[in-house]
Amino acid sequence: MPALKHALARPLRAITWGGIAVGVLLAVVLAVMLANDYQRRLEAAQRQSRAMAVGTERLLAMELRNLERAMSGIAADAAQLFRSVPAQAPALLDASIDGVLGRHAELHSIVVLDTYGRALTAGKGDLQLPLWTDPQRRGQGSALYLGPPQQVIDGSWVVPLALPMAGDRWLLARLRCEELQRIVSGLDVGAHGLVSISDRDGAMLARVPDPQATVGHRYLLPGRDLLGRAAVVELGSIPGAVDGIPRISTISTLQHSPLAVQVGLADQDVLAPWWPYLQAAVAIVLAYIGVLLVLLYAVRRSTRSHQSMAEELRTGSAELALANQVGRVCTWHVDEDAAQLHWSPLAREIFDIPADSLPLSDFFTRVHREDSERLQRAFEQSFAGDAVLDEEFRLVLPGGQVRWVAARGQRVEVADRQRRMIGALTDQTERYRAREQMSRAERRFRLLFDRNPAPFWVFDPSSLRFLEVNEAAVEQYGYSREEFLQMSILDIRPRGGWDEVMGAIARARVDGLPESTVRMHRRRDGSEFEVRAHLSMLDFDGRAACLVLAEDVSERLAYERDLAYRARHNPDTGLLTVRALTEQLDAQEGAYTIAYVQLRGLQLVADTLGREIGDAVLQSMALRLGGLGARFGTLAFQPAEDFVLAIGGEHTAQRALDDLLQIVSAPMRGKDSLHQFEPRIGVAVHAVGDGHSAEQVIGMAAQAAHAARAEGNVVAWFDTAVTTRLADRLRLAARIHAAIDNEFQLYFQPIRHASDGSPAALEALLRWPQADGSFIPPSEFIQLCEDTGLILALGRWVIRAAAQAQRRLVDAGWGELSIAVNVSAVQFFNSDLVAEFTRAQKEFGLARGALHVELTESSLMRKPAQAMQTMQRLHEQGICVSLDDFGTGYSSMSYLQHLPLDILKIDRSFVADVETNPRNASICRALLSLGHSMGLTIIAEGVETPGQLNWLAAHGCDQVQGYLLGRPAPLEKIIDSLDEVVV
């Protein structure tokens, strides 16, 4: 008995330790699976945040590049306007900017600023501009500066974008932060994730979600040192700077802009699906422990009843052996009374029948009604005779589940010659289900294959013959299914592509299937189209075959080619863009010559006569120049009036320039009229090895063209002097802007009565003294002021300074002396001259007639009607008008008689040698007679000798002016010398 107990205890110990080992193994496996799943979720979240950060960064970079291109276009137009028509430039730019703002709702405003941030066009300036336009606020390879966010009147936030312009001006665009918010708003980052865009200072420009209204505020954000260069940094799980929520974050920075995109997926959102797995794993372990305890309890009980079960084990040994031999097969038997059906314990598990036996009649009630009668008849025949029972039927379990069962049995003789029917039951459910799934899969495949809208076919890679095609292929190629099955894949390819097909098949046998490529296919009607073929190997009816999806990509590729063409060509002319030309020139090796052609007046045709006529003239000019480009090199168009001709090194540049000059100088016929343009051509040469890029050479040619315009030439070749002159001119313009209020001075030259030499008036003359005691001549800066528009500010300063000097004359006792002020034609026609003089007189309390205006005859003849109107208003305010340099201009006597003039000034060229030169004497007598006949006061300029003074006094000249009577000097010296009598 102790030996029996010891033998019975061994299985119990084995089960106990085995159960513990299996439990530990199960726990370890579940822990590893959970740890791996946890890590994979974190890694997937990191990849997802990286992908969204990179995608958002690219959208943001594209948006900023588009804005920079648009701003560059506006800046170029603005610079041109300020050079050509500086007075009208702000108004013209306002109209152009309004159009741009109408097309770009994302922009709050666009303003042209001076170097101090003051607005030159309509809109609000930014006095902080000099503080934030430093290199750290500009990305690599970009000229665009990004300023700190600003809050506008309506409470929304904008990002200022500054682009430097010529003449120390800036183009400032304010980008709405709502546009940045729109870029990041479409990303799915979960309930607690975020997407944000921030700048170098940590200012939040966009954030989704944003319940804290963080836009415009600064935070201590990570990755600030990465801004200004392209970088993607995975930060892992870090707490949010705003709300402290841990997120798996990625920062992506822009190369061309100092901005950062941060995408974070909240840890709680990422791990939310993982916690149920953890709970399920814990439940499984606990359930296993419970089952193990129950099993140990049952085993313990079973060991105690081992003796009582020994007989049953010996009786069922044969059944167990048969079941083990067949594999998952339960045994059964029916005794001679044919009343009770007995089966092995495995049947209870398979068929969910708790009892070890069941009345045979009850068992047949559990058989599916469609199989019950057949099974009963077969059983009775086998039980009555020696026939073998071999049937498959369906058994309905108590829960309603149906299982397929295979029953096999035979009658045998047992003890005491009793008959017993024994056999085996096999669960065939899985096999039937697999067969059904295979049938369904085949039906689905046929459905997907036949009804797929994309052309599919299967072909034999050995013979290349079609084995099957779907209906979409029949419709696409025009062959019937029967015709397809008689053909090979070579029949749908052009003859020139057969070798490529055979080569691809041969390579596929060695290296596997190639990647999908685009090939030409041919329909039954002979038309060809582009197809991207996707291939996959499969087993088709027991042999290797290739499944092909033929994607028609003709339209998409045509669209892509059209996009590529539009990206490199100007849509109005069909010519290359300057950017495309630079890429083409940089890609080739060799020397070339650039001719930069400015055709002023080309855009004016469209602006005045309409877009249709303007486009026709532009296309006609492009056609003319295009033929020249085809002969000598390559032609590009720079909107709106410039063409760039690249002359190949194998051609004679001078011959090409001669033909070019002949073409652009010839009148261009419009719809109903001829148009003559004013060409300016700049030429620059690129030699092999000089280290200049095509963009730099084109820029040199453009500088030469500007120099040609400034110097009044048609053609100018680039040299270093051109750059020097333009740079000096720009530096001088910058100096003028700063010198208006504190460097310029007024000198005064007396005008005296010719009869007695007494003072009659003073003429104000502008001087610009330098630190070394020298003076910059007015001839060097007056024209520059007119070209840049600075003449308006300078003219206002001169008027005010002259009025202040008149006030000092009054205080010194010389209030009867008026001061004459020279007025530029640009100032005369582009400012409210009357208001400026009136304002100056009121400010210093001057009497009517205290100030005079001096105008040149040539300036008045530019716009006679406007000149007459302005002069009439000056008269109404008591301001006399003098006509300077009379006789040297156009001298339209018919028009001159209607001008409201007060004084005529005879030019010094006629006064020279008047007492000895009969020709000059005749001209002066005629001018004196003409002026007196019109009731005007006559002043002779340039009087330098007593002989000239005596002759003029003898012939009735009213007043005289010149070095003989007094040189220009500061007002204090002039006042001291007024009492002197000139003999």
Side-chain angles (χ1 to χ4, degrees):
M1 185 63 68
L4 178 60
K5 290 183 178 180
H6 183 70
L8 293 175
R10 283 199 300 269
L12 182 60
R13 286 196 301 269
I15 293 174
T16 301
W17 289 108
I20 293 174
V22 172
V24 172
L25 179 61
L26 176 63
V28 170
V29 170
L30 290 176
V32 171
M33 292 175 59
L34 287 171
N36 289 338
D37 184 67
Y38 181 93
Q39 187 62 30
R40 284 196 300 270
R41 291 181 185 277
L42 293 181
E43 292 173 354
Q46 188 69 73
R47 290 193 300 270
Q48 183 180 359
S49 69
R50 178 188 180 96
M52 288 191 290
V54 171
T56 304
E57 176 264 321
R58 289 176 180 172
L59 290 176
L60 180 60
M62 185 181 300
E63 180 77 14
L64 292 176
R65 283 197 300 270
N66 291 336
L67 286 176
E68 184 173 359
R69 293 191 191 101
M71 292 177 64
S72 298
I74 296 175
D77 293 342
Q80 184 60 38
L81 288 174
F82 275 107
R83 286 193 300 269
S84 57
V85 286
Q88 293 91 351
L92 294 175
L93 283 174
D94 288 340
S96 175
I97 289 172
D98 290 342
V100 173
L101 292 177
R103 295 189 300 271
H104 294 273
E106 70 272 15
L107 294 179
H108 175 270
S109 62
I110 301 176
V111 187
V112 177
L113 309 179
D114 61 12
T115 188
Y116 301 106
R118 295 175 294 196
L120 300 177
T121 60
K124 182 180 178 182
D126 188 350
L127 298 181
Q128 300 296 321
L129 176 70
L131 301 179
W132 58 261
T133 50
D134 63 88
Q136 291 186 348
R137 288 191 170 272
R138 181 182 65 185
Q140 299 179 8
S142 174
L144 197 64
Y145 293 81
L146 274 73
Q150 303 172 353
Q151 193 169 22
V152 294
I153 297 177
D154 60 2
S156 62
W157 290 86
V158 297
V159 180
L161 308 174
L163 187 70
M165 295 172 49
D168 285 347
R169 300 185 187 88
W170 293 83
L171 182 66
L172 179 67
R174 294 182 173 94
L175 175 63
R176 299 181 186 272
C177 287
E178 290 91 341
E179 176 65 14
L180 303 179
Q181 199 81 359
R182 181 190 64 78
I183 293 177
V184 301
S185 62
L187 298 179
D188 182 10
V189 293
H192 302 88
L194 70 84
V195 184
S196 68
I197 300 175
S198 56
D199 65 6
R200 180 177 294 278
D201 298 330
M204 196 73 69
L205 306 182
R207 188 177 189 270
V208 174
D210 193 21
Q212 295 90 353
T214 61
V215 174
H217 301 283
R218 293 184 178 179
Y219 299 92
L220 186 61
L221 300 177
R224 299 300 96 193
D225 57 330
L226 302 174
L227 270 68
R229 56 187 177 92
V232 181
V233 179
E234 298 177 355
L235 303 177
S237 179
I238 59 173
V242 178
D243 50 19
I245 297 176
R247 296 182 178 91
I248 301 170
S249 303
T250 299
I251 284 183
S252 180
T253 58
L254 282 73
Q255 178 178 3
H256 299 290
S257 302
L259 295 180
V261 176
Q262 180 178 352
V263 176
L265 302 179
D267 292 7
Q268 56 184 313
D269 295 338
V270 173
L271 298 177
W274 181 79
W275 291 107
Y277 292 145
L278 177 62
Q279 296 167 0
V282 173
I284 290 173
V285 173
L286 294 177
Y288 175 81
I289 294 174
V291 171
L292 180 61
L293 293 176
V294 171
L295 177 62
L296 292 175
Y297 176 75
V299 171
R300 187 178 182 84
R301 288 189 59 185
S302 67
T303 56
R304 291 177 180 177
S305 59
H306 179 268
Q307 292 296 331
S308 62
M309 295 176 59
E311 185 64 26
E312 295 179 8
L313 289 174
R314 283 194 298 270
T315 305
S317 61
E319 300 173 352
L320 182 59
L322 180 62
N324 290 335
Q325 181 181 0
V326 176
R328 194 168 176 78
V329 177
C330 59
T331 59
W332 60 271
H333 69 273
V334 178
D335 290 329
E336 187 165 2
D337 58 5
Q340 197 77 8
L341 174 65
H342 302 269
W343 51 68
S344 62
L346 184 58
R348 295 198 301 268
E349 299 178 13
I350 297 176
F351 306 119
D352 196 19
I353 300 176
D356 293 334
S357 63
L358 192 69
L360 190 60
S361 58
D362 290 349
F363 175 78
F364 283 121
T365 60
R366 295 174 181 265
V367 177
H368 197 280
R369 58 185 178 84
E370 295 180 358
D371 303 331
S372 178
E373 183 178 351
R374 173 176 55 82
L375 181 61
Q376 275 186 289
R377 186 168 56 254
F379 177 81
E380 291 172 356
Q381 291 176 354
S382 299
F383 196 82
D386 295 331
V388 176
L389 175 66
D390 190 0
E391 292 288 336
E392 290 186 356
F393 59 93
R394 286 166 288 181
L395 189 65
V396 182
L397 302 184
Q401 184 181 3
V402 177
R403 285 186 175 274
W404 281 91
V405 179
R408 186 174 179 84
Q410 189 175 11
R411 194 185 70 180
V412 297
E413 297 290 338
V414 293
D416 300 332
R417 295 184 178 180
Q418 291 184 354
R419 294 181 301 173
R420 173 178 287 185
M421 189 80 168
I422 65 173
L425 293 176
T426 306
D427 187 359
Q428 301 289 324
T429 304
E430 296 301 325
R431 182 168 64 86
Y432 272 89
R433 287 178 178 173
R435 185 187 305 167
E436 185 178 357
Q437 288 177 355
M438 183 180 299
S439 177
R440 286 199 300 268
E442 183 178 357
R443 287 195 300 270
R444 286 196 296 268
F445 172 77
R446 296 303 309 181
L447 183 64
L448 292 174
F449 185 81
D450 289 335
R451 299 188 181 180
N452 197 299
F456 274 94
W457 62 72
V458 180
F459 74 92
D460 186 340
S462 300
S463 64
L464 304 182
R465 298 188 67 84
F466 289 99
L467 302 178
E468 188 59 84
V469 296
N470 69 348
E471 188 61 31
V474 171
E475 295 178 359
Q476 177 73 276
Y477 289 83
Y479 297 100
S480 66
R481 182 176 179 275
E482 291 73 18
E483 290 174 325
F484 259 118
L485 298 181
Q486 299 297 321
M487 299 162 51
S488 73
I489 60 174
L490 296 179
D491 295 325
I492 62 171
R493 293 292 304 276
R495 182 64 183 84
W498 287 10
D499 294 338
E500 188 270 338
V501 173
M502 301 302 294
I505 296 296
R507 290 190 298 273
R509 293 192 180 101
V510 178
D511 303 327
L513 293 177
E515 296 183 356
S516 59
T517 57
V518 177
R519 298 181 174 91
M520 294 300 297
H521 280 202
R522 183 177 61 193
R523 299 185 181 92
R524 181 174 185 175
D525 59 6
S527 60
E528 296 182 357
F529 62 104
E530 293 172 293
V531 170
R532 183 181 295 277
H534 306 271
L535 292 81
S536 177
M537 298 302 296
L538 52 76
D539 181 37
F540 189 81
D541 288 342
R543 57 177 170 174
C546 187
L547 175 66
V548 179
L549 164 63
E551 179 188 4
D552 184 358
V553 294
S554 301
E555 293 184 1
R556 177 163 60 86
L557 292 181
Y559 176 70
E560 291 175 357
R561 285 191 289 268
D562 182 63
L563 284 182
Y565 177 84
R566 291 176 179 270
R568 293 178 54 84
H569 293 77
N570 178 266
D572 295 328
T573 62
L575 298 176
L576 285 176
T577 63
V578 174
R579 181 182 295 274
L581 177 60
T582 59
E583 294 174 355
Q584 179 176 324
L585 293 175
D586 287 336
Q588 69 185 29
E589 295 182 358
Y592 55 85
T593 301
I594 295 295
Y596 195 98
V597 184
Q598 295 180 343
L599 293 179
R600 294 300 175 260
L602 189 60
Q603 181 63 33
L604 184 61
V605 176
D607 294 340
T608 56
L609 301 180
R611 176 60 57 187
E612 181 179 356
I613 296 177
D615 289 346
V617 173
L618 174 61
Q619 291 166 8
S620 297
M621 180 61 73
L623 183 62
R624 286 188 182 181
L625 294 176
L628 186 67
R631 288 168 50 201
F632 293 101
T634 309
L635 183 69
F637 178 64
Q638 175 71 44
E641 297 181 324
D642 299 340
F643 291 87
V644 180
L645 175 62
I647 304 170
E650 67 276 12
H651 299 286
T652 303
Q654 189 58 51
R655 180 180 176 185
L657 291 175
D658 292 340
D659 293 349
L660 173 63
L661 185 59
Q662 183 177 359
I663 289 175
V664 297
S665 299
M668 180 63 61
R669 179 171 294 278
K671 187 175 182 181
D672 298 313
S673 59
L674 289 175
H675 303 279
Q676 183 72 50
F677 302 112
E678 182 184 356
R680 293 294 185 269
I681 302 174
V683 185
V685 178
H686 172 265
V688 177
D690 63 4
H692 292 147
S693 65
E695 183 177 3
Q696 291 174 322
V697 178
I698 293 175
M700 295 174 185
Q703 291 182 29
H706 289 297
R709 183 166 299 279
E711 297 169 1
N713 298 324
V714 177
V715 179
W717 289 73
F718 176 83
D719 56 24
T720 54
V722 171
T723 303
T724 302
R725 288 195 300 272
L726 292 176
D728 292 343
R729 185 177 173 87
L730 291 176
R731 284 192 292 269
L732 186 60
R735 288 188 57 197
I736 293 173
H737 189 279
I740 289 178
D741 294 328
N742 51 26
E743 292 187 22
F744 284 103
Q745 296 180 5
L746 282 186
Y747 276 40
F748 298 88
Q749 186 175 25
I751 301 173
R752 297 179 179 272
H753 292 286
S755 58
D756 56 7
S758 60
L762 300 180
E763 180 178 1
L765 301 174
L766 187 61
R767 294 292 184 266
W768 190 1
Q770 302 301 297
D772 59 359
S774 63
F775 290 86
I776 296 179
S779 59
E780 292 186 10
F781 63 81
I782 291 297
Q783 183 61 46
L784 179 58
C785 288
E786 291 183 347
D787 293 341
T788 59
L790 291 173
I791 194 66
L792 300 179
L794 183 59
R796 284 191 294 270
W797 180 88
V798 169
I799 293 173
R800 190 177 183 278
Q804 186 177 12
Q806 172 62 26
R807 178 74 263 172
R808 291 167 61 189
L809 284 176
V810 172
D811 296 340
W814 294 94
E816 72 279 3
L817 297 181
S818 60
I819 295 180
V821 180
N822 291 281
V823 175
S824 165
V826 176
Q827 182 184 7
F828 185 76
F829 290 110
N830 294 279
S831 66
D832 192 351
L833 192 64
V834 179
E836 292 175 2
F837 271 96
T838 303
R839 187 163 47 250
Q841 286 182 332
K842 289 182 179 180
E843 180 181 356
F844 294 100
L846 304 182
R848 291 170 61 88
L851 296 178
H852 289 186
V853 173
E854 284 197 9
L855 302 169
T856 61
E857 184 179 358
S858 56
S859 65
L860 292 178
M861 292 305 155
R862 293 185 183 181
K863 300 177 183 179
Q866 182 179 347
M868 181 177 295
Q869 183 179 6
T870 302
M871 293 169 65
Q872 187 63 43
R873 293 175 57 202
L874 289 171
H875 262 279
E876 294 173 357
Q877 298 299 322
I879 301 172
C880 296
V881 179
S882 300
L883 188 60
D884 199 5
D885 301 335
F886 182 67
T888 62
Y890 297 98
S891 301
S892 176
M893 297 298 125
S894 60
Y895 188 76
L896 187 62
Q897 61 181 336
H898 301 291
L899 292 177
L901 296 172
D902 299 285
I903 299 170
L904 285 181
K905 300 187 74 172
I906 301 176
D907 187 70
R908 65 179 64 250
S909 61
F910 302 132
V911 176
D913 301 330
V914 67
E915 75 281 16
T916 60
N917 188 331
R919 186 180 182 88
N920 281 357
S922 300
I923 294 175
C924 287
R925 279 194 297 269
L927 294 178
L928 288 169
S929 176
L930 174 63
H932 287 153
S933 66
M934 297 171 63
L936 304 178
T937 299
I938 308 299
I939 300 177
E941 294 182 300
V943 178
E944 298 181 356
T945 65
Q948 295 171 357
L949 175 62
N950 295 333
W951 191 95
L952 291 169
H955 289 79
C957 183
D958 301 305
Q959 299 173 11
V960 289
Q961 175 183 0
Y963 286 172
L964 177 65
L965 309 169
R967 291 178 175 271
L971 184 62
E972 292 76 8
K973 292 184 179 181
I974 294 297
I975 293 176
D976 294 340
S977 65
L978 286 177
D979 289 327
E980 298 178 2
V981 179
V982 179
V983 181

